[in-house]
Amino acid sequence: MGKIKYRYNPKTCKYEPWYLRGKALQDQIAIFITLSLVLGGIFYFGYSKNFDSLDEQILKKKNLTLKVEWQILEERVQAAYAELNTLIDRDDKNYRVILDSSPLSPEIRQSGVGGSEKFNTEDIKDYPSVMSGYANLEKLKHTVDVEVQSYKELNSILKERVSMWASRPAIQPINNKQLERLHMSYGSRFHPIFKRYMDHKGLDFAADNGTPVYATGDGKVIMVYFSASYGNVIYLEHGHGYETRYAHLSRFAVKEGDVIKRGHVIGYVGSTGNSVSAHLHYEVLFQGSHVNPINFFQRDLNNKEYERLIEAGSIDAKVLD
Ligand SMILES: [Zn+2]
């Protein structure tokens, strides 16, 4: 039960129980509601001024996280740039120099930088840090694309060069470590059988019958046959314009169509055809024309040995074919 209020009644000179009724009750309720609203308003105003709403607190937290993540992203972009610049440097200053290829021009590296059409920069134009971050990323992406293309190009140049180096007739066709086997130089000389001056379009290596003869570069056997002048002869096709011929062999170690590597034994020294004693007659052709094979032997000789070989080849020794 509620507390009972008493009021003094002057008529009866007594305190009597008093109950709120009618207008008094209405006035009391109105005052209570008004006071509650005023106090509630004051509290709400004070609270909202000094404390964020829950939504605002969540948004602020998210915003802070995004700022930190953005910072990390910017740092990663810078780190990626540093790595990429190292690759570009190696590309221009090492790989292209080794492969005898020109560095990419700055115009090619710059072309196409300027933004993607897929992304509407209107949406972010009011946020300079986002705009600059976006521009940095676009530039990075373009630079990576150009560099990937450049490395692909380098790879194909390298493959071509490796194949060319392997095909080049770069070693001597028989074991000639002592450099004593080269007998006849390239050019005009008196032919011992035809008794007249004739062009000698190869080099002669004097060696015992049966001495192994090596392919001087990677290639394919295109002809293996006997000719009256060359005797048993092998023609090798090396690609890149090179062809070699090995004549007066005693026997063959390959057949037509065989694919061979530099250093493979393809036959053995003999004295078949127009030959006065056992030797190998060796020719090199470039794009269909004879060239002096001695120009290709640097690979298995040092400078001194090479000089000695040229000297040995220039001495007019006994003519063999
Ligand atoms: Zn010869």
Side-chain angles (χ1 to χ4, degrees):
M1 271 190 65
K3 231 176 165 183
I4 299 169
K5 289 187 174 179
Y6 292 88
R7 255 190 191 182
Y8 183 71
N9 189 345
K11 286 178 185 167
T12 59
C13 297
K14 280 180 182 173
Y15 280 93
E16 293 171 353
W18 182 78
Y19 302 100
L20 269 179
R21 288 189 194 91
K23 192 168 181 314
L25 180 62
Q26 283 176 6
D27 288 349
Q28 199 79 359
I29 292 170
I31 289 165
F32 178 75
I33 290 173
T34 307
L35 272 176
S36 298
L37 284 173
V38 168
L39 281 174
I42 290 168
F43 274 121
Y44 177 77
F45 181 72
Y47 181 83
S48 62
K49 200 174 177 192
N50 294 300
F51 300 96
D52 293 332
S53 72
L54 192 59
D55 282 350
E56 280 173 333
Q57 286 179 39
I58 292 169
L59 280 175
K60 277 188 175 171
K61 213 167 186 177
K62 273 188 181 168
N63 198 26
L64 186 66
T65 310
L66 282 174
K67 277 182 181 167
V68 172
E69 284 176 353
W70 189 259
Q71 183 71 29
I72 293 169
L73 182 68
E74 295 253 294
E75 282 167 14
R76 286 189 179 160
V77 168
Q78 292 311 318
Y81 261 119
E83 290 283 330
L84 187 58
N85 282 332
T86 310
L87 289 176
I88 290 172
D89 210 47
R90 279 190 204 150
D91 177 342
D92 285 346
K93 293 181 183 161
N94 297 354
Y95 305 142
R96 286 187 181 266
V97 171
I98 292 167
L99 294 173
D100 201 19
S101 173
S102 310
L104 284 193
S105 68
E107 289 77 32
I108 291 178
R109 290 208 183 278
Q110 284 301 316
S111 65
V113 179
S116 160
E117 288 169 9
K118 289 178 195 163
F119 198 89
N120 186 6
T121 49
E122 260 312 288
D123 297 341
I124 55 169
K125 71 176 172 24
D126 294 332
Y127 305 94
S129 66
V130 178
M131 275 287 272
S132 83
Y134 171 72
N136 272 342
L137 267 177
E138 278 292 297
K139 197 176 161 204
L140 179 68
K141 180 179 169 294
H142 172 80
T143 316
V144 168
D145 286 347
V146 170
E147 202 46 41
V148 165
Q149 282 307 315
S150 176
Y151 270 79
K152 278 185 183 168
E153 187 190 323
L154 279 175
N155 192 35
S156 70
I157 294 173
L158 178 65
K159 277 187 181 163
E160 171 71 12
R161 292 282 198 284
V162 167
S163 154
M164 205 168 83
W165 289 326
S167 304
R168 203 174 150 85
I171 62 169
Q172 296 182 77
I174 63 168
N175 186 343
N176 188 23
K177 285 238 160 54
Q178 310 308 317
L179 307 175
E180 290 164 349
R181 296 198 184 280
L182 184 61
H183 235 264
M184 188 63 218
S185 61
Y186 185 87
S188 177
R189 55 90 172 91
F190 192 77
H191 198 284
I193 294 170
F194 299 115
K195 307 292 182 196
R196 61 185 168 93
Y197 277 90
M198 291 176 72
D199 250 1
H200 189 240
K201 292 183 173 176
L203 296 177
D204 289 345
F205 292 87
D208 293 339
N209 208 44
T211 302
V213 173
Y214 307 112
T216 54
D218 290 7
K220 190 176 178 183
V221 181
I222 51 166
M223 271 202 258
V224 174
Y225 71 105
F226 178 82
S227 101
S229 54
Y230 271 166
N232 290 324
V233 63
I234 296 173
Y235 285 20
L236 298 186
E237 169 78 57
H238 300 282
H240 305 282
Y242 290 109
E243 194 183 309
T244 52
R245 295 173 182 174
Y246 310 78
H248 310 302
L249 302 172
S250 57
R251 58 193 175 94
F252 303 119
V254 289
K255 58 184 187 312
E256 282 179 12
D258 284 355
V259 175
I260 38 93
K261 290 278 177 195
R262 176 182 291 140
H264 275 187
V265 174
I266 53 171
Y268 299 91
V269 170
S271 190
T272 52
N274 291 330
S275 167
V276 292
S277 66
H279 77 287
L280 171 71
H281 172 90
Y282 172 63
E283 294 178 5
V284 174
L285 290 91
F286 180 63
Q287 292 177 346
S289 300
H290 284 88
V291 290
N292 190 344
I294 207 160
N295 296 329
F296 296 88
F297 293 152
Q298 295 97 327
R299 188 188 163 101
D300 60 347
L301 299 171
N302 63 36
N303 285 350
K304 264 211 160 109
E305 287 170 332
Y306 189 57
E307 277 173 24
R308 274 179 57 205
L309 184 75
I310 289 178
E311 204 179 316
S314 67
I315 296 168
D316 207 7
K318 188 184 170 195
V319 177
L320 301 171
D321 64 12

